[in-house]
Amino acid sequence: MRGLDISIIGATGAVGAELIKLLESSQIPVSRLRLLASPNSTGRRSKFREQIYIVEPLGEINDAKTDIAFLSAGSAVSAEWGPRLAAQGALVIDNSNAFRMHPNVPLVVPQVNPSTLAVRPRLGIVSNPNCSTIQLVRALRPLVTAFDIGQIILTTYQAASGGGLVGIDELLHGTRTALDGSAAPSAERFPFPLAFNVIPQVGEIAPEGVTLEERKLVQESRKIFGAPHLRVTSTCVRVPVLNGHSEAVYVEFEEPIRLERINELLANEPGVRLYADGIRDGYPTPRFLEDPAVVHVGRVRVNPENPRALWIWVVADNLQVGAAFNALLIAQLAIANNVIGGT
Ligand SMILES: NC(=O)c1ccc[n+]([C@@H]2O[C@H](COP(=O)([O-])OP(=O)(O)OC[C@H]3O[C@@H](n4cnc5c(N)ncnc54)[C@H](OP(=O)(O)O)[C@@H]3O)[C@@H](O)[C@H]2O)c1
């Protein structure tokens, strides 16, 4: 296959940096790579496959054709640049919330709904789901396929890196100043200081009291599973973890379930690592994840009070599973299906 012209917009961000690393070690042939960010980052250098690349301001891409454009610079940038880049022939893979619920934009998790990218999307744009959604649907896919689900109730424990590089810095700085007493607690990226705290709000709160993150989990999991009536409800919580989102997920089924069958389904699910008796000891924690490309599942247990319900604990690297790795898998799927612009 010919080398592809690839642009990464938001290349200096938390997700962009992961994407460069994953692209570098992938088999995707790259004939030209453009790294773009805001004017603040112009001139920064990044190494990719033994070459040094200079970060350009996004405006520089104006007249350039590109085969694949990864957008990782927030919803406003995506809303402006996604349609422009697609109109120039690019397949746009968007990490933001800008187009996820658009009826003509596939919302793709390659392990779960690859058929939605069998043909080139009408608008030339593919959306990467929200990080919390990706790990949830990857863990639940075998259960949703095998059984009728009554409802899903979850609490998330979301890392600072979900708020980008600023979020990581805010947690590190806030922790240091709390320990040495050098500054009063302050918050910019999060609603409250995150160090030594938990914050039951991720995203804006709508008038009905549900946050944007909680709404994304409902809408996106319904779209990905093709189940418009799936009942999902959550409380999304920011915790003082640097990277790695965790979720305590309660699933109610229409019929009684057996733990052995659930463990068998999870153990055989590609891209899911099950921590269970006889398979792996213990349970996953976000700080010590061994493989950032898989979804880690533990504490699987049937509710002793209700044989139709179980709890599972789901942990994943939000920057990789929840963003960059999923975007790269989308690109690989699009290449395999020959739906890249200009090919
Ligand atoms: N973090 C996660 O876990 C995660 C997971 C899923 C999806 N996402 C989504 O991925 C996107 C990036 O998130 P992130 O965590 O990587 O954020 P980040 O660390 O804050 O990085 C933002 C990137 O966007 C660039 N940027 C900002 N404004 C720009 C503008 N006007 N023009 C051009 N570039 C601009 C920044 O460039 P400068 O460095 O020059 O400012 C930087 O490269 C967001 O849409 C986010 O919602 C993030």
Side-chain angles (χ1 to χ4, degrees):
M1 163 182 199
R2 72 175 173 86
L4 296 174
D5 184 319
I6 293 185
S7 299
I8 298 179
I9 295 124
T12 54
V15 174
E18 292 296 327
L19 190 52
I20 294 170
K21 280 193 263 169
L22 290 172
L23 183 63
E24 179 167 36
S25 55
S26 78
Q27 299 294 318
I28 295 178
V30 181
S31 60
R32 183 181 194 222
L33 178 68
R34 303 194 74 176
L35 303 179
L36 299 123
S38 83
N40 298 337
S41 301
T42 302
R44 274 184 55 181
R45 288 158 176 266
S46 189
K47 197 166 166 209
F48 178 84
R49 294 184 183 166
E50 300 308 319
Q51 271 192 20
I52 299 293
Y53 289 80
I54 310 284
V55 176
E56 302 170 84
L58 179 53
E60 297 290 317
I61 203 176
N62 228 347
D63 54 352
K65 281 197 71 153
T66 191
D67 294 305
I68 301 178
F70 291 99
L71 274 170
S72 239
S75 294
V77 172
S78 293
E80 182 185 349
W81 285 88
R84 280 164 79 167
L85 291 162
Q88 288 171 4
L91 182 76
V92 173
I93 301 176
D94 184 28
N95 269 311
S96 84
N97 190 36
F99 305 104
R100 287 180 186 148
M101 296 315 296
H102 191 297
N104 291 329
V105 173
L107 184 63
V108 180
V109 180
Q111 295 88 347
V112 180
N113 61 346
S115 62
T116 53
L117 198 53
V119 295
R120 184 174 167 83
R122 214 189 295 171
L123 301 183
I125 300 173
V126 189
S127 276
N128 210 42
N130 177 43
C131 41
S132 311
T133 308
I134 295 176
Q135 67 186 73
L136 179 72
V137 298
R138 279 183 56 179
L140 292 188
R141 192 210 71 85
L143 310 187
V144 169
T145 305
F147 304 106
D148 290 330
I149 303 287
Q151 67 170 334
I152 298 162
I153 302 170
L154 69 149
T155 302
T156 68
Y157 305 79
Q158 299 186 218
S161 63
L165 291 180
V166 175
I168 296 172
D169 283 351
E170 191 162 307
L171 175 57
L172 288 173
H173 182 257
T175 304
R176 272 188 218 109
T177 58
L179 287 172
D180 65 20
S182 60
S186 68
E188 198 179 307
R189 183 66 183 82
F190 304 119
F192 286 89
L194 185 58
F196 304 104
N197 201 5
V198 295
I199 305 171
Q201 179 187 352
V202 181
E204 295 302 308
I205 300 183
E208 71 272 19
V210 174
T211 66
L212 181 57
E213 189 84 353
E214 290 155 3
R215 204 172 62 213
K216 287 179 194 170
L217 273 165
V218 179
Q219 294 177 331
E220 294 180 16
S221 51
R222 286 177 175 170
K223 182 169 176 175
I224 293 162
F225 283 134
H229 304 295
L230 188 68
R231 289 167 64 204
V232 182
T233 182
S234 66
T235 299
C236 291
V237 181
R238 187 78 65 189
V239 295
V241 165
L242 281 177
N243 188 44
H245 288 354
S246 307
E247 298 176 343
V249 186
Y250 185 75
V251 187
E252 274 180 9
F253 300 85
E254 295 294 356
E255 291 171 23
I257 36 108
R258 282 186 310 110
L259 182 61
E260 297 72 26
R261 177 75 182 127
I262 299 292
N263 277 337
E264 183 188 13
L265 287 167
L266 290 169
N268 290 326
E269 180 67 5
V272 167
R273 181 172 301 171
L274 177 65
Y275 299 59
D277 286 343
I279 299 170
R280 261 186 97 86
D281 288 330
Y283 45 80
T285 63
R287 187 166 164 197
F288 299 108
L289 285 186
E290 275 172 17
D291 183 346
V294 307
V295 175
H296 301 257
V297 174
R299 304 271 344 258
V300 183
R301 60 208 191 271
V302 175
N303 179 356
E305 310 295 323
N306 179 358
R308 291 185 296 111
L310 63 79
W311 280 101
I312 59 173
W313 174 247
V314 181
V315 185
D317 184 320
N318 49 291
L319 294 177
Q320 291 218 14
V321 162
F325 184 59
N326 199 69
L328 188 86
L329 290 181
I330 289 174
Q332 287 172 330
L333 182 63
I335 291 167
N337 291 347
N338 206 20
V339 301
I340 299 297
T343 51

